[in-house]
Every structure is written in structure tokens, then in C-alpha cells.
Amino acid sequence: MFINMSEIKIVEAPPGIEGNGFFATSLDKAIGLARSHSLWPLPFATSCCGIEFMATMGSHYDFGRFGSERLSFSPRQADVLMVMGTIAKKMGPVLKQVYLQMAEPRWVMAVGACASSGGIFDTYSVLQGIDEIIPVDVYVPGCPPRPEAILDGFQRIQDLVKNESGRRRHSPEYKELLAGYGIL
């Protein structure tokens, strides 16, 4: 295979101080870059969106290329809670407990119409979106969403992680957000 050198694009260096033999940037940016490519997701799958997530983990879509090869089935070791599928109101307290068991910083992704808004199940027994009980960072639309949409949502999470200040989680606004959900 021959590579045409004129097709290779060199990207600009991130903002920082450059010199001969060194590059300096802020600690927040370095930590954010490392953290964004080493996330351990916890899949909380209850229905058809979980099947699409399984396809995302397969070799064709290869979820592992984003630094998330290792799924965590323990909330204490997870960074990203991926809620996929219909959440019944009786399951709400369990989901909230799983969220609370995760260490800070933690992010939440609502995958599919059911997790985002209750989907087609506008009934008394189905939670009309997980954002009624826990804060959500990224919503992935679809019923069920294609694996490409799940990958795109995960990349949005990576962007949030990469650009988040280390102090945001200790801000009064964040504490007020959690207090709104009854999380202290």
C-alpha cells in the first residue's frame, strides 16, 4: 500500500507553550485528555437499546477504540452510566442507587427514546425520562438508536470529560443541581 505524503494533514498543537524539545499546557487539559480516553462505562440495559449496545461492542463498530474496551459492571469502578431502555418507576430507586454508588466524577448517558423520555410508553408505570431522578449529560435519540448514534453520544461524553474543569464538580451550581435531585 502506497501513502501519498501530500494527503497527510498535520493538525495544530493544542494551546500551550511550545519550545525546542518541550510542550507545556495546563494540568486540567492534560488530565481531561487522559481521562476522556480511559472511561469505564456501566451499561444499565433493560430492553432493545441494550441489543444495539451489544452490536456497538462488536468488532464491526468496535467501541473499544475509544478507550472503553473494559465495561464495568460495578458502579464503584465506573465513570459513565449508560442507561438503555425502558425504566419502570419501580426500577427508579435502583437506578438512583447505582448512580450514587459511582465515584465522582461521573457522567450519565440516556440511550434511546425510553431512557430519554419514556418513549412510546406514556403510562403510569414507566418513568418518563431518567432525568426525573438523576442528572443526564448526553441524550442519544432513537428507538432504538443505531450503533453509530451510540458512538456519537459517547464521543459527546468524551468531549465533556476532556473540557471539564477539575473544579466544576465542587462548584455551587453543581451542588445545587444535585440538591435538586435530592442528592447531597
Side-chain angles (χ1 to χ4, degrees), residues 52-80:
E52 289 297 318
F53 179 69
M54 290 177 204
T56 307
M57 289 299 297
S59 61
H60 185 73
Y61 295 100
D62 192 18
F63 194 66
R65 67 186 158 158
F66 297 99
S68 296
E69 187 69 45
R70 184 203 179 277
L71 294 180
S72 177
F73 293 98
S74 167
R76 291 171 181 85
Q77 298 173 347
D79 301 311
V80 180

mmCIF file of all heavy atoms in Angstrom, residues 52-80:
data_model
loop_
_atom_site.group_PDB
_atom_site.id
_atom_site.type_symbol
_atom_site.label_atom_id
_atom_site.label_comp_id
_atom_site.label_asym_id
_atom_site.label_seq_id
_atom_site.Cartn_x
_atom_site.Cartn_y
_atom_site.Cartn_z
ATOM 1 N N GLU A 52 -28.760 -3.081 20.759
ATOM 2 C CA GLU A 52 -27.980 -2.191 19.895
ATOM 3 C C GLU A 52 -26.616 -1.888 20.514
ATOM 4 O O GLU A 52 -25.618 -1.774 19.819
ATOM 5 C CB GLU A 52 -28.739 -0.893 19.617
ATOM 6 C CG GLU A 52 -29.933 -1.063 18.719
ATOM 7 C CD GLU A 52 -29.578 -1.553 17.331
ATOM 8 O OE1 GLU A 52 -28.586 -1.086 16.738
ATOM 9 O OE2 GLU A 52 -30.306 -2.431 16.825
ATOM 10 N N PHE A 53 -26.582 -1.774 21.836
ATOM 11 C CA PHE A 53 -25.305 -1.550 22.504
ATOM 12 C C PHE A 53 -24.386 -2.759 22.328
ATOM 13 O O PHE A 53 -23.179 -2.609 22.159
ATOM 14 C CB PHE A 53 -25.511 -1.242 23.982
ATOM 15 C CG PHE A 53 -24.220 -1.029 24.714
ATOM 16 C CD1 PHE A 53 -23.448 0.098 24.468
ATOM 17 C CD2 PHE A 53 -23.773 -1.952 25.635
ATOM 18 C CE1 PHE A 53 -22.247 0.292 25.132
ATOM 19 C CE2 PHE A 53 -22.585 -1.765 26.305
ATOM 20 C CZ PHE A 53 -21.811 -0.640 26.049
ATOM 21 N N MET A 54 -24.966 -3.965 22.367
ATOM 22 C CA MET A 54 -24.157 -5.162 22.129
ATOM 23 C C MET A 54 -23.539 -5.129 20.734
ATOM 24 O O MET A 54 -22.389 -5.523 20.555
ATOM 25 C CB MET A 54 -25.013 -6.419 22.300
ATOM 26 C CG MET A 54 -25.424 -6.690 23.715
ATOM 27 S SD MET A 54 -26.492 -8.136 23.749
ATOM 28 C CE MET A 54 -27.389 -7.832 25.248
ATOM 29 N N ALA A 55 -24.292 -4.654 19.757
ATOM 30 C CA ALA A 55 -23.750 -4.516 18.404
ATOM 31 C C ALA A 55 -22.626 -3.481 18.387
ATOM 32 O O ALA A 55 -21.636 -3.645 17.679
ATOM 33 C CB ALA A 55 -24.856 -4.117 17.439
ATOM 34 N N THR A 56 -22.774 -2.429 19.181
ATOM 35 C CA THR A 56 -21.745 -1.393 19.259
ATOM 36 C C THR A 56 -20.446 -1.960 19.825
ATOM 37 O O THR A 56 -19.362 -1.537 19.448
ATOM 38 C CB THR A 56 -22.235 -0.223 20.136
ATOM 39 O OG1 THR A 56 -23.493 0.218 19.641
ATOM 40 C CG2 THR A 56 -21.266 0.933 20.103
ATOM 41 N N MET A 57 -20.564 -2.904 20.745
ATOM 42 C CA MET A 57 -19.376 -3.518 21.344
ATOM 43 C C MET A 57 -18.714 -4.526 20.407
ATOM 44 O O MET A 57 -17.576 -4.911 20.626
ATOM 45 C CB MET A 57 -19.743 -4.227 22.651
ATOM 46 C CG MET A 57 -20.086 -3.309 23.781
ATOM 47 S SD MET A 57 -18.752 -2.225 24.257
ATOM 48 C CE MET A 57 -17.519 -3.369 24.805
ATOM 49 N N GLY A 58 -19.410 -4.956 19.366
ATOM 50 C CA GLY A 58 -18.872 -5.961 18.451
ATOM 51 C C GLY A 58 -17.734 -5.430 17.599
ATOM 52 O O GLY A 58 -17.388 -4.247 17.608
ATOM 53 N N SER A 59 -17.154 -6.331 16.827
ATOM 54 C CA SER A 59 -15.966 -5.981 16.043
ATOM 55 C C SER A 59 -16.249 -4.989 14.915
ATOM 56 O O SER A 59 -15.366 -4.242 14.514
ATOM 57 C CB SER A 59 -15.346 -7.253 15.467
ATOM 58 O OG SER A 59 -16.273 -7.904 14.622
ATOM 59 N N HIS A 60 -17.472 -4.959 14.419
ATOM 60 C CA HIS A 60 -17.768 -4.052 13.302
ATOM 61 C C HIS A 60 -17.709 -2.583 13.734
ATOM 62 O O HIS A 60 -17.186 -1.742 13.020
ATOM 63 C CB HIS A 60 -19.143 -4.377 12.721
ATOM 64 C CG HIS A 60 -19.474 -3.567 11.505
ATOM 65 N ND1 HIS A 60 -18.884 -3.796 10.293
ATOM 66 C CD2 HIS A 60 -20.314 -2.531 11.323
ATOM 67 C CE1 HIS A 60 -19.350 -2.931 9.412
ATOM 68 N NE2 HIS A 60 -20.233 -2.150 10.015
ATOM 69 N N TYR A 61 -18.244 -2.260 14.895
ATOM 70 C CA TYR A 61 -18.251 -0.875 15.378
ATOM 71 C C TYR A 61 -17.120 -0.609 16.368
ATOM 72 O O TYR A 61 -16.662 0.505 16.488
ATOM 73 C CB TYR A 61 -19.606 -0.526 16.002
ATOM 74 C CG TYR A 61 -20.700 -0.544 14.977
ATOM 75 C CD1 TYR A 61 -21.546 -1.630 14.862
ATOM 76 C CD2 TYR A 61 -20.858 0.511 14.102
ATOM 77 C CE1 TYR A 61 -22.538 -1.670 13.907
ATOM 78 C CE2 TYR A 61 -21.841 0.487 13.132
ATOM 79 C CZ TYR A 61 -22.672 -0.602 13.041
ATOM 80 O OH TYR A 61 -23.643 -0.638 12.082
ATOM 81 N N ASP A 62 -16.692 -1.611 17.105
ATOM 82 C CA ASP A 62 -15.517 -1.574 17.975
ATOM 83 C C ASP A 62 -15.514 -0.399 18.939
ATOM 84 O O ASP A 62 -14.756 0.554 18.813
ATOM 85 C CB ASP A 62 -14.249 -1.561 17.123
ATOM 86 C CG ASP A 62 -13.011 -1.818 17.953
ATOM 87 O OD1 ASP A 62 -13.144 -2.332 19.076
ATOM 88 O OD2 ASP A 62 -11.918 -1.499 17.480
ATOM 89 N N PHE A 63 -16.372 -0.475 19.921
ATOM 90 C CA PHE A 63 -16.473 0.544 20.973
ATOM 91 C C PHE A 63 -15.151 0.718 21.721
ATOM 92 O O PHE A 63 -14.857 1.787 22.235
ATOM 93 C CB PHE A 63 -17.592 0.117 21.934
ATOM 94 C CG PHE A 63 -18.068 1.179 22.869
ATOM 95 C CD1 PHE A 63 -18.724 2.296 22.402
ATOM 96 C CD2 PHE A 63 -17.871 1.041 24.233
ATOM 97 C CE1 PHE A 63 -19.187 3.266 23.271
ATOM 98 C CE2 PHE A 63 -18.331 2.009 25.115
ATOM 99 C CZ PHE A 63 -18.989 3.120 24.629
ATOM 100 N N GLY A 64 -14.351 -0.326 21.738
ATOM 101 C CA GLY A 64 -13.084 -0.292 22.453
ATOM 102 C C GLY A 64 -12.070 0.686 21.875
ATOM 103 O O GLY A 64 -11.154 1.118 22.578
ATOM 104 N N ARG A 65 -12.208 1.080 20.641
ATOM 105 C CA ARG A 65 -11.230 2.013 20.048
ATOM 106 C C ARG A 65 -11.312 3.409 20.659
ATOM 107 O O ARG A 65 -10.453 4.239 20.426
ATOM 108 C CB ARG A 65 -11.401 2.089 18.540
ATOM 109 C CG ARG A 65 -12.702 2.716 18.131
ATOM 110 C CD ARG A 65 -12.937 2.656 16.661
ATOM 111 N NE ARG A 65 -14.362 2.794 16.440
ATOM 112 C CZ ARG A 65 -14.884 3.193 15.323
ATOM 113 N NH1 ARG A 65 -14.130 3.471 14.305
ATOM 114 N NH2 ARG A 65 -16.184 3.312 15.214
ATOM 115 N N PHE A 66 -12.339 3.660 21.463
ATOM 116 C CA PHE A 66 -12.480 4.951 22.125
ATOM 117 C C PHE A 66 -11.936 4.915 23.547
ATOM 118 O O PHE A 66 -12.184 5.814 24.342
ATOM 119 C CB PHE A 66 -13.948 5.378 22.145
ATOM 120 C CG PHE A 66 -14.499 5.591 20.763
ATOM 121 C CD1 PHE A 66 -15.250 4.611 20.155
ATOM 122 C CD2 PHE A 66 -14.226 6.757 20.072
ATOM 123 C CE1 PHE A 66 -15.739 4.793 18.881
ATOM 124 C CE2 PHE A 66 -14.715 6.947 18.797
ATOM 125 C CZ PHE A 66 -15.464 5.956 18.189
ATOM 126 N N GLY A 67 -11.197 3.865 23.887
ATOM 127 C CA GLY A 67 -10.625 3.767 25.213
ATOM 128 C C GLY A 67 -11.573 3.174 26.227
ATOM 129 O O GLY A 67 -11.359 3.289 27.423
ATOM 130 N N SER A 68 -12.634 2.537 25.766
ATOM 131 C CA SER A 68 -13.640 1.982 26.674
ATOM 132 C C SER A 68 -13.847 0.503 26.420
ATOM 133 O O SER A 68 -14.967 0.010 26.380
ATOM 134 C CB SER A 68 -14.954 2.726 26.512
ATOM 135 O OG SER A 68 -14.792 4.050 26.881
ATOM 136 N N GLU A 69 -12.756 -0.194 26.241
ATOM 137 C CA GLU A 69 -12.824 -1.627 25.990
ATOM 138 C C GLU A 69 -13.388 -2.371 27.187
ATOM 139 O O GLU A 69 -14.128 -3.317 27.058
ATOM 140 C CB GLU A 69 -11.416 -2.157 25.691
ATOM 141 C CG GLU A 69 -11.392 -3.595 25.247
ATOM 142 C CD GLU A 69 -11.990 -3.806 23.878
ATOM 143 O OE1 GLU A 69 -11.683 -3.034 22.965
ATOM 144 O OE2 GLU A 69 -12.783 -4.742 23.735
ATOM 145 N N ARG A 70 -13.057 -1.895 28.370
ATOM 146 C CA ARG A 70 -13.467 -2.586 29.587
ATOM 147 C C ARG A 70 -14.777 -2.018 30.102
ATOM 148 O O ARG A 70 -14.836 -0.893 30.581
ATOM 149 C CB ARG A 70 -12.398 -2.424 30.662
ATOM 150 C CG ARG A 70 -12.729 -3.189 31.914
ATOM 151 C CD ARG A 70 -11.994 -2.569 33.087
ATOM 152 N NE ARG A 70 -12.288 -3.242 34.330
ATOM 153 C CZ ARG A 70 -13.356 -2.988 35.073
ATOM 154 N NH1 ARG A 70 -14.245 -2.114 34.684
ATOM 155 N NH2 ARG A 70 -13.541 -3.622 36.203
ATOM 156 N N LEU A 71 -15.818 -2.807 30.015
ATOM 157 C CA LEU A 71 -17.084 -2.415 30.626
ATOM 158 C C LEU A 71 -17.007 -2.726 32.106
ATOM 159 O O LEU A 71 -16.403 -3.705 32.519
ATOM 160 C CB LEU A 71 -18.247 -3.184 30.000
ATOM 161 C CG LEU A 71 -18.546 -2.904 28.541
ATOM 162 C CD1 LEU A 71 -19.708 -3.738 28.087
ATOM 163 C CD2 LEU A 71 -18.812 -1.446 28.325
ATOM 164 N N SER A 72 -17.613 -1.890 32.889
ATOM 165 C CA SER A 72 -17.628 -2.101 34.326
ATOM 166 C C SER A 72 -19.041 -2.463 34.745
ATOM 167 O O SER A 72 -19.990 -1.758 34.408
ATOM 168 C CB SER A 72 -17.184 -0.839 35.054
ATOM 169 O OG SER A 72 -17.256 -1.026 36.437
ATOM 170 N N PHE A 73 -19.178 -3.564 35.466
ATOM 171 C CA PHE A 73 -20.490 -3.938 35.962
ATOM 172 C C PHE A 73 -20.573 -3.711 37.462
ATOM 173 O O PHE A 73 -21.444 -4.232 38.133
ATOM 174 C CB PHE A 73 -20.813 -5.384 35.573
ATOM 175 C CG PHE A 73 -20.970 -5.524 34.084
ATOM 176 C CD1 PHE A 73 -19.933 -5.989 33.293
ATOM 177 C CD2 PHE A 73 -22.133 -5.126 33.465
ATOM 178 C CE1 PHE A 73 -20.074 -6.081 31.921
ATOM 179 C CE2 PHE A 73 -22.284 -5.216 32.090
ATOM 180 C CZ PHE A 73 -21.250 -5.696 31.316
ATOM 181 N N SER A 74 -19.655 -2.907 37.956
ATOM 182 C CA SER A 74 -19.668 -2.471 39.348
ATOM 183 C C SER A 74 -19.711 -0.947 39.344
ATOM 184 O O SER A 74 -18.840 -0.312 38.751
ATOM 185 C CB SER A 74 -18.417 -2.952 40.071
ATOM 186 O OG SER A 74 -18.298 -2.289 41.310
ATOM 187 N N PRO A 75 -20.702 -0.341 39.971
ATOM 188 C CA PRO A 75 -20.779 1.122 39.945
ATOM 189 C C PRO A 75 -19.572 1.791 40.587
ATOM 190 O O PRO A 75 -19.219 2.907 40.232
ATOM 191 C CB PRO A 75 -22.052 1.443 40.718
ATOM 192 C CG PRO A 75 -22.635 0.176 41.165
ATOM 193 C CD PRO A 75 -21.808 -0.941 40.671
ATOM 194 N N ARG A 76 -18.912 1.123 41.491
ATOM 195 C CA ARG A 76 -17.769 1.725 42.185
ATOM 196 C C ARG A 76 -16.556 1.863 41.275
ATOM 197 O O ARG A 76 -15.618 2.558 41.609
ATOM 198 C CB ARG A 76 -17.433 0.915 43.426
ATOM 199 C CG ARG A 76 -18.495 1.046 44.487
ATOM 200 C CD ARG A 76 -18.273 0.063 45.625
ATOM 201 N NE ARG A 76 -19.312 0.173 46.629
ATOM 202 C CZ ARG A 76 -20.473 -0.439 46.574
ATOM 203 N NH1 ARG A 76 -20.772 -1.198 45.553
ATOM 204 N NH2 ARG A 76 -21.367 -0.298 47.526
ATOM 205 N N GLN A 77 -16.560 1.175 40.141
ATOM 206 C CA GLN A 77 -15.438 1.237 39.223
ATOM 207 C C GLN A 77 -15.803 1.895 37.899
ATOM 208 O O GLN A 77 -15.011 1.874 36.972
ATOM 209 C CB GLN A 77 -14.913 -0.175 38.955
ATOM 210 C CG GLN A 77 -14.398 -0.863 40.194
ATOM 211 C CD GLN A 77 -14.041 -2.315 39.925
ATOM 212 O OE1 GLN A 77 -14.378 -2.883 38.902
ATOM 213 N NE2 GLN A 77 -13.357 -2.916 40.877
ATOM 214 N N ALA A 78 -16.980 2.473 37.804
ATOM 215 C CA ALA A 78 -17.452 3.034 36.538
ATOM 216 C C ALA A 78 -17.391 4.555 36.550
ATOM 217 O O ALA A 78 -17.509 5.191 37.595
ATOM 218 C CB ALA A 78 -18.884 2.578 36.271
ATOM 219 N N ASP A 79 -17.206 5.115 35.363
ATOM 220 C CA ASP A 79 -17.198 6.567 35.166
ATOM 221 C C ASP A 79 -18.467 7.051 34.489
ATOM 222 O O ASP A 79 -18.937 8.150 34.744
ATOM 223 C CB ASP A 79 -16.027 6.991 34.272
ATOM 224 C CG ASP A 79 -14.687 6.608 34.820
ATOM 225 O OD1 ASP A 79 -14.433 6.884 36.001
ATOM 226 O OD2 ASP A 79 -13.907 6.024 34.059
ATOM 227 N N VAL A 80 -18.992 6.244 33.564
ATOM 228 C CA VAL A 80 -20.130 6.633 32.728
ATOM 229 C C VAL A 80 -21.259 5.629 32.923
ATOM 230 O O VAL A 80 -21.067 4.436 32.702
ATOM 231 C CB VAL A 80 -19.740 6.673 31.236
ATOM 232 C CG1 VAL A 80 -20.928 7.078 30.380
ATOM 233 C CG2 VAL A 80 -18.579 7.593 30.994
#
